Amino acid sequence: MPSGLVALLDDVAGITKLAAASLDDIGAAAGKAGSKAAGVVVDDAAVTPRYVTGFTPDRELPIIWKIAKGSLRNKLVFLLPGAMLLSAFAPWAITPLLMLGGAYLAYEATEKILEAATGHGAHVADVPPDTPPGELEQEKVSGAIRTDFILSAEIMAIALADVAAQPLLTQAVVLALVGVAITVAVYGAVGLIVKMDDIGLHLAQRQAAASQALGRGLVIGMPVLMKALGIIGTAAMLWVGGGILVHGLEEFHLTPIPHFLHETAEAIGHASPVAGGAVAWVVNALGSALVGSVVGAAVIGLLYLIAAARGKTH
């Protein structure tokens, strides 16, 4: 009997170790998959604050909370089951869909650069200026959730591609973890960003000189931060989108461009007297961004031709 109890305890210990190892693997996979979606995450964080522009301060956080709930619904209710069905029945479609998403990211980034260069910027969730506040808020939230769906689809596709070889249950858990973690991180950061000027004003009204200086710095620095986020997000979209396209070409054994980029990065990295690995990474990222910009420009040109054929060239 004692020996049976010892054997049982040994079995329980073994199962516990296996479970712990599985959780470690899932955590590592989720972290790795989430980090590959960094470009989309930065752009998401840069875009979302625009949706609360024009509202009173007391409505900013409730609007962000509505968008965050919509984002979770996008990821967990719609995209996660879709990703599982895709992985189970059409795994061959993951790379083409990922490349399609990469082309979309490249198009979005290239379009932003073109808008900045020409001064013709797009307006997020345009609505008539005389729209009642409640209806305006709903329109803004709906527009933000629609935009989030596209960005969330790309995040989930990137994560799915990274764990495609894992069992379906592991894939589902990893995608759920990535979806929840990224949503919390993005909208937590967005909430902090949109309230930063209010925090700055509050600090500026305090008696302490240090608090006043910090508060004024926050108020002055917010426009700079928003502009920097936009630039970083655009660059990250080009890099990530181009990188996805390059990796997809490699998956389909269309290797001239991937090999050229890799060999060029390695050669420049080896020739660098210091930080060769970092230099190689930067060169590879710039190459991916260049591929992204070419593809993005091609998509813009194609859309323009289609619009011209329909008589709509705006």
Side-chain angles (χ1 to χ4, degrees), residues 134-230:
E135 187 178 334
L136 175 62
E137 180 175 316
Q138 185 56 44
E139 288 286 342
K140 291 273 190 176
V141 170
S142 298
I145 293 174
R146 284 194 298 270
T147 300
D148 175 90
F149 187 89
I150 297 171
L151 295 173
S152 293
E154 188 60 20
I155 288 169
M156 298 296 268
I158 292 171
L160 178 62
D162 205 53
V163 295
Q166 301 291 332
L168 280 178
L169 180 59
T170 301
Q171 292 181 30
V173 174
V174 168
L175 290 183
L177 287 175
V178 168
V180 171
I182 284 180
T183 302
V184 171
V186 166
Y187 291 99
V190 168
L192 184 61
I193 288 170
V194 299
K195 301 307 289 183
M196 194 69 74
D197 53 352
D198 292 338
I199 295 172
L201 287 172
H202 178 72
L203 290 174
Q205 293 170 356
R206 289 191 172 185
Q207 296 294 328
S211 297
Q212 292 179 3
L214 177 59
R216 287 193 295 270
L218 289 175
V219 172
I220 295 171
M222 275 308 300
V224 178
L225 174 62
M226 292 302 300
K227 186 173 182 179
L229 274 177

Side-chain angles (χ1 to χ4, degrees), residues 15 28 69 86 108 121 135 160 196 215 224 277 283:
I15 293 171
K69 288 192 294 184
L86 189 68
E108 279 283 296
E135 187 178 334
L160 178 62
M196 194 69 74
V224 178
V283 172

